[in-house]
Amino acid sequence: MVVDGYQKMIRVNLTSGKISVKEIDKKFAREYIGGRGFTAKILYDEVRNVDPLGPDNKVSVASGPLSGLFAPGGGKTHFSAKSPLTGGFGDSNMGGLFSAEMRMAGYDLFVFEGVSKKPVYLYVENDKVEIRDASHLWGKGIITTELEMKKELGEEFQIAAIGPAGEKLVKIACIGHDYGRQAGRAGIGAVMGSKKLKAIAVHGTKDIPVADVKELVKVAGKMFDDCKKHPNFGAWQKYGTSQVVKWASDEIEALPTRNFQQGKFEKALDIDGTTMVPRNVKLNKSCFGCPMACGKYAYIPTYDKYVEGAEYETLALLGSNCGMGFIDDVLMGNYLCDEYGIDTISAGNIIGFTMECSEKGIIKEKYRFGEKEGYLDLIKKIAFREGIGDILAEGVKYAAQKWNAMDLAVHVKGMEQSGYESRAAPSMALSYMTCDVGAHHNRSWAISYDVKEGRDKLEGKAEYVIKLQHIRPLFDQLGACRLQWVELEVDLNDYARLYSAATGYKTTLDELLLSAEKVYNISRAFWFREVKGFGRSWDMPPKRYTEKPKVGQFKDLVIDNEKANKLLDDYYRLR
Ligand code: SF4
C-alpha cells in the first residue's frame, strides 16, 4: 500500500511577495528522499553563478520523511544555500522541534528567493502562509527573538531565526532554534540576513500521513528498545557529547588546543562534561522523539545566564582551542554566540587563530590564549563587525590572507575546521579534506577508525571515509539524528524499514545509500561548476598539518604533502 508520506512545499519570493504552495513531486521525493537530498537538489538546479549574498541565492529548508514521526531522533531540519563563507556548496542542519512542526503543518520544504525591502518573517499556520513585518525584531538576538515571537504568536509555534550577525552578513552567521539548537555551518544565517528574512515561524495541527502505522510502531519500538538497552545509553543521556573532551585530549590526543598547535589540553578535565554536568547542568533537553536527550541546559553562575550546551564541538573550539580552561567562561562564550547568531565552531577556530597571531606579533591587538576578557570581546566584535571583528567576520581564510598568516589558518575550502586535531589521524584528516562543505566532521567522523586501525596507517582509510560519506548524509536526508547509530549501534537496516513504513515505498538500505551517494556527487559537482579552478588543491589540508604538534605521544606524526596526496589518490580512485 503506497500512501506516500510526502506533503507540500512552499516557495516564497521575497522580492515580489509571491507565495506559492504545491505538492512535492513524487519522482523528486523518491530520488532524493528528503532533508539534505531536497535542499541539495534545489541548490544544484536553481542556483548558478550567483553572489551568495545577492538576490539570486536561495535558502531551502527541509524536513525529512522521518521527521515528526515515532522514530528515534526524527527531529532534524536541513538548510542549504550557496555559502558566503566558502563560495561553494553550503548546508547545515539543526536538531529541535522545527521539522516536526513543519510536517504537522503539512510541509516538507520551504524555498526562499529574492530580497525583501524590509525585515520580514514567514508565518506558517497549517494552510495560512504569510510574509509578516519583522522590523520590531531586527537587531535582536536569536534567543530574545524566539522569546518575543512565542509571546506574540503562542508557545506552540516553532521558530528558526537569525541574530545581529546574520543581519550584518557575518559569514559565519548561524540560524538558531529552540533556545540553543543551531544550523551553524557555512554562513547560511548571513544568506537569510541578506534577504532580510529574520525568522520562520511554523505551527501545525495536522496528522502526518504514514503508510503503515503498525509496522512503523513495531520497527521504531524495537529501535527505541535497542537504544535503551545499550550499555552506553545512561552515560549519553547524562553527559551527551560533552563527555568526549577528556577522551579526545588525554587518550587520543586529538583535542584542538591553542589554534590546533597540539591535541592535548592540560585543563581538559576542567571543561569536560564530568565537570560541567554536576556544576552547571539543570536539565536534559531532547530533539523531537529522541530518547538520548543529549542537550544540556546549563546555568552559568559566574555570569548569571542560562545556555543550552556546551556540546563537544563547542567545548573543543571555544574551549581548548582558545586555551580557555574555566567551564563558566566557555559556557558564556557559547551563550554569546547563540544569542548574537554565530557558529561556535567557526568562532572558536577564528578566535584561536587571532590569539596566535597576536602572540606571534602578526597583529598589534593584544589577545592571549586563556584570557577571558579578550575572548568574550572578540565574539562580540565578530558578531557586530566592530574593529578587528570586521575582518574576522569574513572567516579565517580571509583574515589569514589579509594578515599574511595563512600558515596559521586551519581551514579547508575556506571553512574553519571543527573539533579534531588530525595530524595523527589520516582518515579524520581525509574526512575534513573531502567534506563537501569544507572542514566539517558531520559527513565522516572517522577518528575512531584511526584509533582502531593505526594512527599512522594510510591503507584502507579512503575506503572507510567514502563509506561514512554515504551513510551519514542518509540521516540528513531522512531528517534523523545519526547519534543513535553512531553511539548506540542501532541497526542501519531499521532505517530502511522505517522509511518503507512511513512512505509505503518498499526499499532497502542499499537503495537508500545510492541516493545518498547521488547527493554527495551533486554537492561535489556544485563546487566544480561554481568555483573557478576547483580541484585537488582545494582538497589539500591546512599547512598546520605538516607541522609537528608541540606535545604528546604523537609528536612525530604529521600529514605532509606526500601523505595528503596519497590519501587523495586513493580517495579519487575509489570514488
Ligand atoms: S542525540 Fe542529541 S542531537 Fe541527536 S536527536 Fe537526540 S537530543 Fe537531538
Side-chain angles (χ1 to χ4, degrees):
M1 177 185 58
V2 173
V3 163
D4 184 345
Y6 296 100
Q7 303 183 82
K8 292 180 180 166
M9 67 174 283
I10 301 174
R11 190 177 284 271
V12 182
N13 187 307
L14 292 161
T15 306
S16 65
K18 187 175 169 220
I19 295 171
S20 52
V21 178
K22 66 170 195 176
E23 300 284 329
I24 292 282
D25 179 79
K26 306 289 175 218
K27 187 170 173 292
F28 170 68
R30 287 217 66 178
E31 217 171 324
Y32 294 96
I33 299 174
R36 179 170 178 240
F38 283 4
T39 61
K41 178 67 172 155
I42 296 277
L43 190 54
Y44 185 78
D45 283 354
E46 300 187 18
V47 177
R48 280 171 188 264
N49 300 318
V50 306
D51 171 3
L53 296 176
D56 296 327
N57 199 0
K58 300 191 184 190
V59 176
S60 12
V61 187
S63 59
L66 300 186
S67 307
L69 298 184
F70 179 62
K76 292 286 181 177
T77 310
H78 214 82
F79 293 78
S80 283
K82 183 172 180 177
S83 167
L85 179 67
T86 66
F89 184 86
D91 77 5
S92 195
N93 75 52
M94 67 182 189
L97 308 166
F98 193 85
S99 58
E101 203 69 35
M102 272 176 83
R103 298 202 77 213
M104 287 187 267
Y107 306 99
D108 302 307
L109 177 64
F110 301 154
V111 179
F112 297 93
E113 48 198 38
V115 175
S116 170
K117 281 202 176 73
K118 59 175 190 179
V120 292
Y121 72 90
L122 184 75
Y123 175 95
V124 180
E125 187 178 15
N126 294 321
D127 299 336
K128 191 170 168 185
V129 183
E130 295 171 357
I131 299 170
R132 291 190 174 181
D133 183 37
S135 305
H136 60 301
L137 301 167
W138 202 248
K140 292 185 176 163
I142 291 180
I143 298 166
T144 309
T145 297
E146 200 170 348
L147 277 168
E148 287 197 15
M149 288 184 79
K150 277 180 175 267
K151 219 165 157 187
E152 205 175 298
L153 305 174
E155 273 297 325
E156 63 278 19
F157 275 80
Q158 294 304 328
I159 314 290
I162 59 165
E167 297 169 13
K168 290 179 183 301
L169 312 183
V170 170
K171 291 183 178 170
I172 58 165
C174 67
I175 299 151
H177 157 65
D178 197 26
Y179 310 115
R181 292 279 169 174
Q182 288 84 24
R185 310 242 65 195
I188 303 173
V191 184
M192 275 179 68
S194 73
K195 297 186 175 307
K196 294 247 177 339
L197 179 63
K198 177 71 180 175
I200 309 163
V202 59
H203 172 51
T205 53
K206 299 180 185 180
D207 289 338
I208 300 170
V210 171
D212 188 341
V213 176
K214 254 172 111 176
E215 173 71 1
L216 183 98
V217 170
K218 190 173 127 199
V219 179
K222 172 191 170 283
M223 293 167 86
F224 278 109
D225 283 347
D226 290 347
C227 287
K228 288 189 188 154
K229 276 192 280 194
H230 195 280
N232 295 342
F233 179 71
W236 272 92
Q237 217 175 36
K238 186 166 182 189
Y239 299 111
T241 59
S242 69
Q243 63 185 322
V244 174
V245 176
K246 193 165 180 317
W247 172 77
S249 167
D250 298 356
E251 285 188 41
I252 65 164
E253 298 184 7
L255 183 70
T257 301
R258 297 185 191 85
N259 196 30
F260 293 84
Q261 293 182 80
Q262 60 198 56
K264 207 169 153 61
F265 184 44
E266 65 285 356
K267 293 181 180 168
L269 180 60
D270 296 344
I271 59 167
D272 184 74
T274 51
T275 299
M276 180 184 79
V277 168
R279 176 183 167 79
N280 304 92
V281 172
K282 297 297 170 201
L283 56 93
N284 297 337
K285 260 184 85 186
S286 166
C287 302
F288 186 90
C290 176
M292 288 170 82
C294 80
K296 304 292 148 220
Y297 203 65
Y299 177 61
I300 322 171
T302 309
Y303 299 91
D304 193 22
K305 291 277 182 204
Y306 285 88
V307 64
E308 180 179 339
E311 45 70 60
Y312 170 74
E313 292 290 334
T314 300
L315 292 165
L317 273 303
L318 280 179
S320 52
N321 200 51
C322 300
M324 304 303 298
F326 179 39
I327 188 65
D328 283 21
D329 294 337
V330 182
L331 287 170
M332 188 58 191
N334 189 167
Y335 168 80
L336 292 178
C337 287
D338 290 1
E339 175 69 340
Y340 298 154
I342 53 176
D343 174 30
T344 54
I345 296 174
S346 284
N349 179 307
I350 291 169
I351 292 169
F353 162 81
T354 309
M355 287 169 165
E356 191 180 350
C357 285
S358 175
E359 292 201 351
K360 293 207 155 103
I362 294 169
I363 54 171
K364 64 178 187 327
E365 290 86 351
K366 295 270 176 281
Y367 290 105
R368 295 288 177 258
F369 286 112
E371 282 184 10
K372 71 173 178 188
E373 290 78 13
Y375 163 80
L376 297 175
D377 176 61
L378 274 174
I379 294 173
K380 183 161 180 278
K381 282 199 159 78
I382 294 169
F384 289 88
R385 287 187 173 274
E386 290 168 0
I388 192 176
D390 196 33
I391 292 172
L392 299 173
E394 295 291 306
V396 79
K397 182 179 170 189
Y398 177 88
Q401 280 162 344
K402 196 97 184 149
W403 297 341
N404 198 18
M406 197 51 89
D407 289 359
L408 312 187
V410 184
H411 75 93
V412 179
K413 300 179 179 67
M415 177 179 278
E416 295 77 21
Q417 182 173 314
S418 59
Y420 292 91
E421 194 286 279
S422 303
R423 293 177 184 95
S427 46
M428 196 64 228
L430 185 64
S431 304
Y432 285 129
M433 290 155 65
T434 57
C435 172
D436 59 358
V437 290
H440 191 39
H441 58 281
N442 90 328
R443 307 297 201 250
S444 162
W445 184 79
I447 188 98
S448 55
Y449 192 68
D450 289 312
V451 173
K452 188 168 146 235
E453 297 294 321
R455 302 293 290 264
D456 199 17
K457 193 176 150 197
L458 303 186
E459 292 70 31
K461 299 284 171 94
E463 198 173 354
Y464 189 73
V465 169
I466 291 170
K467 186 175 150 198
L468 286 185
Q469 285 178 341
H470 296 162
I471 295 175
R472 293 172 67 100
L474 177 59
F475 287 92
D476 299 338
Q477 289 174 266
L478 292 168
C481 177
R482 63 182 65 81
L483 286 179
Q484 293 74 22
W485 168 66
V486 177
E487 304 299 344
L488 304 181
E489 300 172 286
V490 164
D491 184 354
L492 263 184
N493 290 292
D494 285 342
Y495 288 92
R497 290 185 202 116
L498 271 189
Y499 176 79
S500 299
T503 61
Y505 295 134
K506 294 290 167 225
T507 191
T508 61
L509 179 62
D510 285 344
E511 263 179 36
L512 293 179
L513 287 173
L514 268 181
S515 171
E517 182 172 354
K518 182 188 281 192
V519 173
Y520 208 88
N521 291 338
I522 283 181
S523 55
R524 182 83 180 170
F526 185 84
W527 279 96
F528 276 102
R529 191 184 71 202
E530 297 295 311
V531 177
K532 205 166 163 245
F534 184 78
R536 178 183 285 252
S537 65
W538 288 75
D539 291 337
M540 290 298 277
K543 172 79 174 8
R544 180 125 285 174
Y545 279 41
T546 65
E547 299 163 7
K548 292 183 178 178
K550 285 190 161 177
V551 295
Q553 58 179 309
F554 302 115
K555 248 167 65 182
D556 293 327
L557 286 187
V558 294
I559 305 277
D560 56 20
N561 280 350
E562 196 185 326
K563 278 190 189 172
N565 278 312
K566 162 86 174 81
L567 285 166
L568 286 178
D569 286 345
D570 289 352
Y571 181 86
Y572 296 150
R573 188 169 34 79
L574 291 165
R575 271 233 171 253

